[in-house]
Each structure stands twice: as C-alpha cells, then as structure tokens.
Amino acid sequence: DSGVTQTPKHLITATGQRVTLRCSPRSGDLSVYWYQQSLDQGLQFLIQYYNGEERAKGNILERFSAQQFPDLHSELNLSSLELGDSALYFCASSVALGSGANVLTFGAGSRLTVL
Amino acid sequence: SQQGEEDPQALSIQEGENATMNCSYKTSINNLQWYRQNSGRGLVHLILIRSNEREKHSGRLRVTLDTSKKSSSLLITASRAADTASYFCATARGGADGLTFGKGTHLIIQP
C-alpha cells in the first residue's frame, strides 16, 4: 500500500456520460498529480495541484477538470466521455514543491472503460 | 510529446543476467528519475539522480547520467523473475513540477 488512495478501482460507463475519480494523497503530501495511461499514448501528465491551488497543466482536455480540496484530497472530473477516454488514471502525491525535485508516490489507479 | 524516451521498448533476458535500459531526453533537467510498474499497477519510484551526478547505486540498481548526451541508463544486475515489469524514466518539465514520463521499457525475466 503506497498510502495514496484512489477510488473507484474500476469504472464502466457509456459515451457522453460524466464520472468523478477521487484521490487521497499520502499523509503529509501537499502536491497531487493526475496522469492518464493508455496503450497508445503512454503516461500523460494531466494536471498538478499544490495545497489547493493549480500549479501545472499538461495534456488535459477541456472536457476534464480537477480540483484539490482543503483536506488535500483531489477529484478529477471527466465529462462528455468518448471511447478514447478509456484508460488508467493515476493519482500521485509528493511532499514538496520544487521543480523536478519531487519523488512521486502513485496510487493503484482507476481503470475507466467507456462503452 | 514525451520528454524521455526509453530504449529498448521490450527486453527479454534469462534470470541471473544483467538488464540495461536507456533513456534519452530533450531539454535541460534538474534530475532524472526511474520508476517501475508491475502490470496494471501504480508506478513505484526506484532511484533519482541529480544533474550534477554521473552515477548512482541502490542495491542491484545502477543509474548513470550523461547530461552532455542527454541520456541515462538503468542497469539491473543479477536479474530475478520478480524484476519483470515496465521501467520508466521521468524528467521535470521545465519550470513546472509535473514529471514527464517516457513510454517505458517492458522487461521480461525468463526463469
């Protein structure tokens, strides 16, 4: 157990629907990162939050949004789902804020299947 | 686009042999990290090497970094079946904090 908790583990839904993925970071970690992993695109950085504020944005679609709450847990919202959104979504957390100095602790992932 | 690119994409060796994976990247970095992922699971951090370091060891792992060639290598010595996994290098993206990962090397250790 890495200490990063992601729910749900598996999710099957239909095109056009909206889902919310939840992440609780490791105790003491202030930064939360979201990544999408698919066979064709590899591991893509989506977005990062630090202590409630957005810090960095990667290849996140406009249909996707995220936030980090005061208790530091984070949610990734995926809307108007398409078949191509089927992937493993990982949350990771780290302690500090500093370019490139962070070691990430990953959760077990949420596997999203869009039918 | 991916910052780090691992090579080879897949590697199959016999148990007990050494496995070497390479990573090339495009821009200046502060440090480079290697992660391991067992099938369908989350990534696990293995080792971090800073830009002013050339070599680092951790147990059976040896990492080298050549900033002039923008490349790194990960050596796993005396491989075991449990080392079967995908291995990713990761670099920091400019001034942001999100690590950029390559597509990984899939390592298979044959018993």
Side-chain angles (χ1 to χ4, degrees):
Chain A
D1 182 5
S2 67
V4 178
T5 304
Q6 289 189 248
T7 57
K9 286 186 169 46
H10 300 277
L11 193 54
I12 301 174
T13 189
T15 54
Q17 294 298 305
R18 172 191 169 95
V19 299
T20 297
L21 309 180
R22 194 179 190 278
C23 169
S24 293
R26 196 179 57 162
S27 178
D29 286 358
L30 299 179
S31 276
V32 169
Y33 308 74
W34 286 98
Y35 285 85
Q36 179 194 56
Q37 186 177 38
S38 59
L39 281 175
D40 55 342
Q41 293 294 322
L43 199 64
Q44 296 283 326
F45 169 66
L46 297 179
I47 198 164
Q48 182 215 351
Y49 282 84
Y50 175 77
N51 205 20
E53 293 188 6
E54 182 183 306
R55 283 289 306 180
K57 221 166 186 176
N59 301 322
I60 188 166
L61 300 172
E62 286 192 8
R63 299 184 286 110
F64 296 0
S65 65
Q67 56 183 323
Q68 186 181 29
F69 294 87
D71 66 353
L72 300 178
H73 91 272
S74 177
E75 293 181 355
L76 178 66
N77 301 297
L78 316 174
S79 62
S80 302
L81 286 168
E82 302 174 359
L83 296 178
D85 297 328
S86 295
L88 258 175
Y89 290 85
F90 286 107
C91 170
S93 69
S94 68
V95 174
L97 183 68
S99 180
N102 296 322
V103 170
L104 301 189
T105 301
F106 280 79
S110 293
R111 182 175 293 279
L112 173 65
T113 302
V114 182
L115 301 175
Chain B
S1 63
Q2 303 291 345
Q3 161 72 319
E5 293 290 340
E6 292 89 346
D7 172 65
Q9 290 186 349
L11 178 62
S12 180
I13 61 173
Q14 294 295 124
E15 194 167 19
E17 294 180 340
N18 296 340
T20 300
M21 289 156 272
N22 302 297
C23 168
S24 60
Y25 57 92
K26 297 173 184 172
T27 64
S28 297
I29 59 171
N30 292 326
N31 63 68
L32 184 144
Q33 303 179 35
W34 285 90
Y35 287 76
R36 184 181 82 181
Q37 183 182 31
N38 289 86
S39 181
R41 294 178 177 265
L43 282 74
V44 175
H45 177 258
L46 294 176
I47 195 165
L48 178 153
I49 185 165
R50 300 188 187 282
S51 59
N52 61 355
E53 297 175 309
R54 292 296 165 259
E55 188 171 311
K56 199 163 182 179
H57 296 252
S58 176
R60 295 185 295 114
L61 305 180
R62 181 172 77 99
V63 170
T64 62
L65 179 64
D66 187 335
T67 53
S68 66
K69 294 181 180 177
K70 291 187 168 58
S71 67
S72 173
S73 68
L74 171 67
L75 169 68
I76 302 174
T77 61
S79 64
R80 305 166 182 169
D83 294 329
T84 293
S86 291
Y87 292 82
F88 297 85
C89 68
T91 57
R93 298 188 318 123
D97 298 306
L99 292 178
T100 300
F101 289 81
K103 291 199 172 183
T105 291
H106 185 50
L107 175 65
I108 298 172
I109 308 299
Q110 307 277 6

